[in-house]
Amino acid sequence: MIDVLLLLAALFFGLLTVYSRDNVYSAVSLASVAGAVGAYYAYLTQFAAAFLIFVIYIGAVMLLVIITAAMYGGVQRWGGRYFLVTTLVFLAAAVLGVLLWGVPPAKPTPVQLGDLLPAVMLLIGVAAVSLVVGIEVARRV
Amino acid sequence: MSPAVVVGFILILLGLYSIATTRNLVRVLIALELVTVGAFAALAPLALVNPSLFFYGVLILVMISVSEASILAALIFRTYALTKSTDVSTVTGGREP
């Protein structure tokens, strides 16, 4: 259940990244998404990959993104609601995490190679959507 | 399908939506990184099948994201130096007549 909790936290902060009107809060939410995914990797006992996410990705890339957002745009308004919502979600996730700590983890279902086919099809779909978005963005300039 | 794959694809689509609806280069950088994080999440089920392949996938994704972030950050710095704005619609050079 902790894995679902971490993924839901990643999804929440992902929505917050897109819908925050302020660049800095959006960048901080993005770093929180990366942190949740890194914690999910650690939960899967993939500590080397989690190390890469936390040290290289958050420590370098997210720092660059947050500093760029702060330099060009900065904090436009005091995010009282942002801090309230993120603090409440963090506290609720921490309490749920402590409560679920004793629950034995569900046995992971092994992924068969046949299961990768829908993922490949979805990836091709995402590539097609990316192409359309890229062309539309380029036409707008 | 694994919940991690579903969340990963939702994050990727959110990032693409954000790229499509914004004109601000900083928001484009943030949305691109959101797509990368979505790809990180979608890659997670591979850890159960082949951990070493998963690690190399994560490593390659991190390298790609470092490259794209630094290139886009340089583009933002240059665009701001030239136009005093991070809005892509202020870049007029190179347009078709």
Side-chain angles (χ1 to χ4, degrees):
Chain A
M1 285 302 287
I2 291 180
D3 51 345
V4 177
L5 186 67
L6 289 170
L7 288 172
L8 284 178
L11 195 57
F12 169 77
F13 281 107
L15 286 169
L16 216 54
T17 302
V18 174
Y19 291 108
S20 288
R21 292 172 65 191
D22 197 292
N23 284 351
V24 173
Y25 296 143
S26 182
V28 171
S29 303
L30 179 64
S32 304
V33 181
V37 173
Y40 181 65
Y41 280 3
Y43 180 76
L44 294 177
T45 65
Q46 299 297 317
F47 296 113
F51 177 82
L52 274 181
I53 294 273
F54 279 113
V55 175
I56 309 294
Y57 192 70
I58 297 179
V61 179
M62 287 299 114
L63 189 66
L64 175 75
V65 172
I66 292 171
I67 288 175
T68 306
M71 283 171 70
Y72 301 108
V75 180
Q76 302 292 333
R77 57 185 71 80
W78 169 245
R81 276 191 307 176
Y82 177 86
F83 288 121
L84 180 68
V85 169
T86 49
T87 306
L88 285 177
V89 167
F90 177 77
L91 287 176
V95 169
L96 273 174
V98 169
L99 289 177
L100 293 172
W101 191 259
V103 178
K107 195 176 180 182
T109 52
V111 181
Q112 302 296 325
L113 280 182
D115 296 341
L116 292 178
L117 190 61
V120 170
M121 296 307 291
L122 279 171
L123 272 178
I124 292 172
V126 167
V129 173
S130 309
L131 192 62
V132 172
V133 169
I135 291 170
E136 287 300 318
V137 170
R139 280 177 57 191
R140 206 189 303 159
V141 177
Chain B
M1 193 176 286
S2 164
V5 175
V6 175
V7 169
F9 277 110
I10 292 174
L11 291 178
I12 290 173
L13 292 177
L14 275 174
L16 289 175
Y17 164 76
S18 184
I19 292 171
T21 55
T22 187
R23 286 169 180 265
N24 191 324
L25 279 172
V26 178
R27 296 305 287 235
V28 172
L29 172 65
I30 291 170
L32 268 175
E33 292 305 325
L34 186 62
V35 172
T36 309
V37 176
F40 278 129
L43 204 62
L46 189 61
L48 301 173
V49 182
N50 193 337
S52 58
L53 184 63
F54 165 75
F55 176 73
Y56 285 118
V58 171
L59 189 62
I60 289 171
L61 261 180
V62 167
M63 286 162 55
I64 290 171
S65 68
V66 168
S67 314
E68 91 189 12
S70 49
I71 289 171
L72 199 49
L75 185 67
I76 292 168
F77 301 153
R78 191 68 191 145
T79 305
Y80 187 81
L82 290 174
T83 64
K84 298 296 173 202
S85 171
T86 54
D87 192 330
V88 284
S89 57
T90 59
V91 182
T92 54
R95 281 186 184 170
E96 288 183 10

